[in-house]
Amino acid sequence: DWVLKNINLKIEPNTTVAFVGATGAGKSSLVNLIGRFYEYQQGDVFLGETKLTDIELNYLRKNIAIVLQDVFLFSDTLLNNITLGDTSISREQVIEAAKEVGAHRFIMELPGNYDFQVGERGGVLSTGQRQLISFIRAYVYDPHILILDEATSSVDNESEELIQQATSKLTKGRTSIVIAHRLSTIQNADKIVVLDHGEIMEQGTHSELLRKGGYYKTLHDMQFSED
């Protein structure tokens, strides 16, 4: 029983590609293959001209940043949570990155600012604030490939706006893959890939897919009628 079937997909460098589909469609499985969290049994995945399996794992993962829906924060300072203990990343770089993604203001309001002690799993921070910290993390590591497991579903409107701005800042000029739950957040993607039961149903831009009147349009209409 193959999880992903007949996948034939090309992602151009420095573009944003969004994966959409119902729960269990195969979005996360596809993304997890890129970071080699799963090995594949059939077919091939290439980065440029190089087979994914020929790239040294440590090097591969150093060049990919993944922003997950569930952000893990350690019981440590905010600064250390962003640099993850990498001493080559300076405090100035962290502050610059925080300003770029729009998180500097809320950090400066915390007692101790960047030295604020984050409790276990960051429970004192809101979902939106934790999400913004994970964006700063990705920004300071300056990855070639950015993977966003879209996480605006459980944040308030103000945080969602900030996260939207942070997303556009972070995806600019790099190859970005977005797993989208809310279709309103990916309308400007260069390509949208619609998955269902591990297969690509259709792909194209937002307006192309709406014109097709297929699977994406059905998803879109269902979501907007709920909203």
Side-chain angles (χ1 to χ4, degrees), residues 90-102 104 114 136 139-140:
S90 70
R91 192 183 184 92
E92 286 67 37
Q93 280 173 282
V94 171
I95 293 169
E96 191 52 44
K99 285 176 179 172
E100 286 292 320
V101 302
H104 180 68
Y114 287 84
I136 308 170
Y139 200 95
V140 292

Side-chain angles (χ1 to χ4, degrees), residues 40-99:
Y40 46 89
Q41 286 78 37
Q42 277 193 349
D44 260 316
V45 181
F46 288 86
L47 275 184
E49 303 294 313
T50 313
K51 265 191 196 179
L52 198 64
T53 46
D54 290 342
I55 300 170
E56 201 263 316
L57 196 57
N58 199 31
Y59 178 80
L60 173 73
R61 291 188 180 159
K62 266 193 170 149
N63 285 288
I64 297 175
I66 302 178
V67 177
L68 293 171
Q69 208 169 358
D70 184 24
V71 182
F72 190 91
L73 294 179
F74 301 91
S75 189
D76 202 335
T77 65
L78 204 53
L79 187 76
N80 289 342
N81 264 291
I82 292 165
T83 63
L84 298 174
D86 187 336
T87 50
S88 68
I89 299 168
S90 70
R91 192 183 184 92
E92 286 67 37
Q93 280 173 282
V94 171
I95 293 169
E96 191 52 44
K99 285 176 179 172

Side-chain angles (χ1 to χ4, degrees), residues 66-73 78 82 101-103 106 121-122 125-139 147-156 159-160 162-164 166-167 170 179:
I66 302 178
V67 177
L68 293 171
Q69 208 169 358
D70 184 24
V71 182
F72 190 91
L73 294 179
L78 204 53
I82 292 165
V101 302
F106 97 77
R121 293 190 69 89
L125 300 171
S126 73
T127 310
Q129 288 172 334
R130 290 201 298 273
Q131 199 62 47
L132 284 169
I133 288 163
S134 69
F135 275 73
I136 308 170
R137 243 184 216 169
Y139 200 95
I147 295 171
L148 297 178
D149 190 345
E150 235 249 310
T152 54
S153 48
S154 54
V155 300
D156 56 55
S159 297
E160 183 176 347
L162 277 174
I163 288 165
Q164 290 279 28
T167 303
L170 212 51
I179 296 178

